[in-house]
Amino acid sequence: MSQLTFDEAAVRSLEATYMSPDVVAQRGRVLDLLVPAVGERILDVGVGPGLLARDVARLVGETGRMVGLDNAPAMVAAAAQRLSDLPQAQVLQGDAGRLDFPDAAFDAAVSTQVYEYVPDMPQALGELHRVLRPGGRALILDTDWRSIVWHSSDPARMDRVLACWDAHLADPHLPARLGPLLRQAGFEVRRVEIVPMLSPRWQPASYAGGMMRSIHNFVRANGGRFGLSSDEIEAWRLDQDALIARDEFFFSLNRYAFLATR
């Protein structure tokens, strides 16, 4: 399985996608569900460039604590810079499957688009359960890539491209089994809801626009392992360009937010 490489260029690309209106709206919904309160201790597992973490840190205030964790050094550097003016925020390099914190260290935890990359989910959720205080809450948001509706003039080719893209994840369909996994780890699932990423028309500054760039780059580098020729990959991209030019672009993908308590 080929993983995405989160170097400085990838961080800049991800930041641009995360600042698009639909992802900003998603971040707002995550905050609505998490409800960070003044004085709370909150862990962000997979902090990325730190946009959500900054909002959380401001909400818990100087009497609270916000710790961001990521295993990519470029992400840790970007998040640390973004949070550098907030003394209640800290960013650390670490592994979602092995949380180097004491038991009951946090009131809440949040993780968006991270656990689908984690191969041992029982271990990761066991660790999350351990570091939350009794009654503490976890907000987890991940994508099931089976939910995608993406218009193409060649649906079979689109399926082959997306099958290649799925290979960069440990589980591209994690939400379908996340509820049972949370319960097995000792959590009580309080709420589950869909957070759609919808682009009924082309918008370059959107989640769909960011995904088109990321998928194209990944498939160009890895498509040969899945029987995709360079000509076929370029035909996929040119088809999307033609649909955009004719105002026939359509993209929809569901993310699933799980709110659970320890």
Side-chain angles (χ1 to χ4, degrees):
M1 182 180 66
S2 297
Q3 295 285 344
L4 295 181
T5 301
F6 291 109
D7 55 15
E8 291 184 13
V11 170
R12 290 193 297 272
S13 177
L14 195 64
E15 283 180 326
T17 300
Y18 280 12
M19 291 176 182
S20 63
D22 45 2
V23 183
V24 170
Q26 173 198 276
R27 197 153 55 246
R29 186 59 191 143
V30 167
L31 292 170
D32 287 344
L33 290 167
L34 184 64
V35 197
V38 172
E40 283 195 315
R41 305 159 298 164
I42 298 183
L43 173 66
D44 186 346
V45 180
V47 68
L51 291 160
L52 176 64
R54 182 171 180 83
D55 291 337
V56 170
R58 293 176 68 182
L59 288 167
V60 300
E62 292 188 6
T63 60
R65 183 183 181 215
M66 203 300 304
V67 178
L69 188 73
D70 208 289
N71 67 359
M75 290 296 187
V76 171
Q81 182 176 7
R82 176 163 276 112
L83 298 165
S84 61
D85 63 328
L86 298 173
Q88 67 271 33
Q90 181 183 17
V91 184
L92 303 171
Q93 186 172 355
D95 185 345
R98 296 183 180 277
L99 301 177
D100 190 17
F101 303 105
D103 294 356
F106 297 97
D107 300 296
V110 62
S111 179
T112 62
Q113 292 301 113
V114 173
Y115 283 119
E116 60 200 54
Y117 292 91
V118 176
D120 190 342
M121 280 300 293
Q123 166 74 19
L125 292 179
E127 281 288 274
L128 192 67
H129 187 272
R130 180 185 63 79
V131 302
L132 287 174
R133 65 166 174 80
R137 60 203 188 279
L139 193 285
I140 298 173
L141 182 142
D142 276 284
T143 299
D144 190 325
W145 283 88
R146 283 175 297 206
S147 69
I148 194 165
V149 179
W150 194 347
H151 181 45
S152 171
S153 300
D154 188 336
R157 181 177 61 209
M158 174 67 83
D159 289 345
R160 291 192 294 274
V161 168
L162 292 176
C164 176
W165 173 248
D166 280 353
H168 87 288
L169 297 165
D171 186 351
H173 314 304
L174 176 62
R177 63 190 189 100
L178 186 53
L181 285 168
L182 283 163
R183 289 188 285 271
Q184 291 161 16
F187 287 96
E188 182 174 353
V189 178
R190 298 286 188 176
R191 183 168 184 168
V192 181
E193 68 174 57
I194 294 170
V195 181
M197 308 303 290
L198 175 63
S199 291
R201 300 178 73 180
W202 173 247
Q203 297 176 359
S206 66
Y207 176 79
M211 280 299 94
M212 183 180 291
R213 291 186 292 273
S214 294
I215 291 172
H216 186 224
N217 290 337
F218 181 84
V219 174
R220 281 195 303 178
N222 298 279
R225 296 173 51 204
F226 298 85
L228 287 165
S229 69
S230 58
D231 288 345
E232 189 174 19
I233 294 164
E234 286 311 300
W236 170 79
R237 180 56 194 256
L238 289 172
D239 177 55
Q240 289 299 305
D241 290 343
L243 292 171
I244 291 167
R246 297 198 301 268
D247 197 19
E248 296 177 7
F249 181 84
F250 185 93
F251 177 100
S252 177
L253 181 69
N254 287 343
R255 290 173 160 179
Y256 297 83
F258 288 72
L259 179 63
T261 53
R262 183 188 188 285

